[in-house]
């Protein structure tokens, strides 16, 4: 016996519909988020299964998310859960009705019908381990804070350019500890011009800078005292207040990024696949943790290296119609995973002779920089898949033997 459940979720409630194999609606309801809602869903399904043995009942659930306590509870109950991509759901909705009408109850009906007719085209939620989920949480938070730090730094640079461009000349890196220290003390041109060499040298010492600190402090002082076009005093005061706030935000973000980095390394180092992943060229503990977090550790999730490459978004797509045929890059992908893989590829150019030769070969064919780097990343994903599947550490000779033989021939 098979039952199909469509679950249109929101923050506080779920609209669900239970459907049989013929497409007939058996039940529908709006359930609250939490234990009470999950208990009612189990009761709705139990009423339709009757006295049938548990092993003879299969429940397929379609929902537009793959995470959260509700999804974990569905999986724990033994249901087959399909995380439907919202873009897929939108296209299927148009297949059922072209009027453009939309409601939560109708979406629940659509999701139930989708898993009834197209379950073979959908991807079940991967059975990643709790350890992999923990790595995903800390690795994603770490990367998010890095992005936030970059945005805050850009806002700080923009503000200084508007009223205090001399500070941009004095500090090459606005994220540096001495730059944040001095800008917090003297966020406006007048107070910055009063900074002594001793005060600047003390900030450099607190930032643990080495070398001729006195000369460096003198250069910073001279840059801060350089004449520049400014703003009226009241506007300058307003900018100074905003800069002081941005400096405080950057200081906190920098501290938390450093703290989370250690936690990411600790969590990742305890995973069984960590040794295989860090053996890959261009992958260290942080980048390896991001790759593991986004790929997951379910051994049955990717049927082949091609499947992993397609999920990564590094493999190309082909569009062929009649006499026209084009090969294009994938623009719908996991941004975090692609970012990690492209970074790995750029680092692997220096760490792996085979990767460098493969990249140079693509460039010699007239391929652009980004395309060649993406092709290298695609190749590295295939190597990683083979190593994870067999539990084997990376071998430079084995990984690039096919290309070396082709070049020799």
């Amino acid at each position: 016996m098979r039952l199909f459940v469509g679950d249109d979720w929101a923050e506080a409630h779920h609209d669900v519909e239970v459907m049989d194999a013929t497409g007939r609606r058996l039940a529908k309801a709006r359930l609250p988020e939490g234990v009470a809602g999950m208990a009612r869903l189990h009761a709705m399904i139990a009423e339709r299964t009757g006295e049938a043995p548990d092993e003879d009942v299969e429940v397929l659930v379609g929902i537009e998310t793959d995470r959260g306590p509700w999804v974990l509870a569905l999986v724990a109950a033994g249901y087959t859960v399909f995380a439907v991509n919202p873009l897929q759901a939108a296209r299927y909705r148009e297949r059922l009705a072209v009027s453009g009408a939309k409601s939560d109850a109708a979406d629940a009906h659509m999701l139930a019908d989708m898993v009834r007719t197209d379950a073979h085209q959908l991807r079940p939620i991967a059975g990643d381990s709790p350890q992999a989920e923990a790595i995903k949480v800390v690795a994603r938070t770490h990367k998010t804070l890095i992005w936030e730090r970059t945005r805050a730094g850009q806002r700080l640079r923009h503000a200084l350019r508007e009223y205090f461009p001399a500070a941009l000349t004095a500090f090459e890196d606005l994220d540096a500890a001495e730059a944040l220290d001095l800008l917090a003390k003297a966020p406006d041109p007048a107070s910055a011009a009063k900074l002594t060499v001793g005060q600047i040298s003390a900030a450099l010492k607190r930032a643990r800078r080495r070398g001729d600190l006195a000369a460096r402090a003198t250069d910073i002082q001279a840059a801060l005292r350089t004449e520049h076009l400014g703003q009226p005093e009241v506007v300058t005061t307003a900018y100074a207040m905003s800069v002081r706030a941005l400096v405080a935000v950057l200081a906190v973000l920098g501290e938390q990024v450093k703290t989370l980095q250690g936690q990411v390394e600790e969590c990742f180092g305890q995973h069984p696949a960590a040794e295989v992943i860090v053996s890959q060229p261009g992958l260290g503990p942080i980048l390896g943790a991001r790759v593991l977090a986004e790929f997951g550790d379910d051994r049955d999730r990717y049927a082949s290296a091609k499947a992993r490459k397609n999920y990564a978004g590094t493999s190309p797509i082909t569009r062929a119609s009649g006499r026209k045929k084009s090969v294009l890059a994938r623009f719908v992908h996991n941004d975090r995973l692609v970012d990690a893989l492209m970074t790995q590829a750029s680092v692997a150019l220096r760490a792996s002779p085979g990767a460098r030769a493969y990249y140079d070969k693509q460039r010699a064919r007239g391929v652009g920089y980004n395309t060649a780097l993406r092709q290298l990343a695609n190749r590295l994903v295939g190597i990683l898949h083979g190593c994870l599947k067999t539990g084997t550490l990376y071998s430079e000779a084995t990984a690039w033997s096919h290309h070396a033989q082709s070049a020799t021939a």
Side-chain angles (χ1 to χ4, degrees), residues 29 93 117 172 179 187 235 267 291 294 315 341 347 382 402 409:
R93 188 183 300 114
T117 59
E172 296 180 1
V235 177
C267 290
V291 170
E294 302 307 326
S315 61
L341 294 175
V347 176
H402 170 71

Side-chain angles (χ1 to χ4, degrees), residues 276-349:
V276 174
I277 292 175
V278 296
S279 71
Q280 307 296 309
L283 288 184
I286 298 299
L287 209 55
R290 293 176 190 164
V291 170
L292 173 62
E294 302 307 326
F295 273 134
D297 62 354
D298 185 353
R299 297 181 63 87
D300 300 324
R301 184 173 187 177
Y302 307 102
S304 63
K306 180 176 176 58
R308 188 183 289 268
K309 292 176 181 179
N310 291 344
Y311 178 80
T314 54
S315 61
I317 57 174
T318 301
R319 290 184 176 178
S321 178
R323 298 181 179 180
K324 295 182 179 179
K325 181 178 180 180
S326 58
V327 180
L328 307 172
R330 293 176 185 261
F331 291 101
V332 178
H333 48 60
N334 183 330
D335 292 340
R336 293 177 181 270
L337 180 55
V338 168
D339 176 78
L341 294 175
M342 293 295 281
T343 304
Q344 178 202 1
S346 63
V347 176
L349 291 176

Side-chain angles (χ1 to χ4, degrees), residues 124-149:
I125 286 181
D128 293 334
S129 67
Q131 196 171 6
E133 289 293 331
I135 293 172
K136 179 188 290 187
V137 171
V138 292
R140 283 189 170 185
T141 304
H142 179 248
K143 184 62 178 178
T144 298
L145 290 184
I146 291 175
W147 283 336
E148 290 298 327
R149 183 178 62 182

Side-chain angles (χ1 to χ4, degrees), residues 60 68 78 100 140 154 166 207 215 221 259 264 272 275 353 408:
L60 284 69
R140 283 189 170 185
Q154 291 172 342
Q221 185 189 55
T259 300
V264 170
E275 186 179 5
T408 303

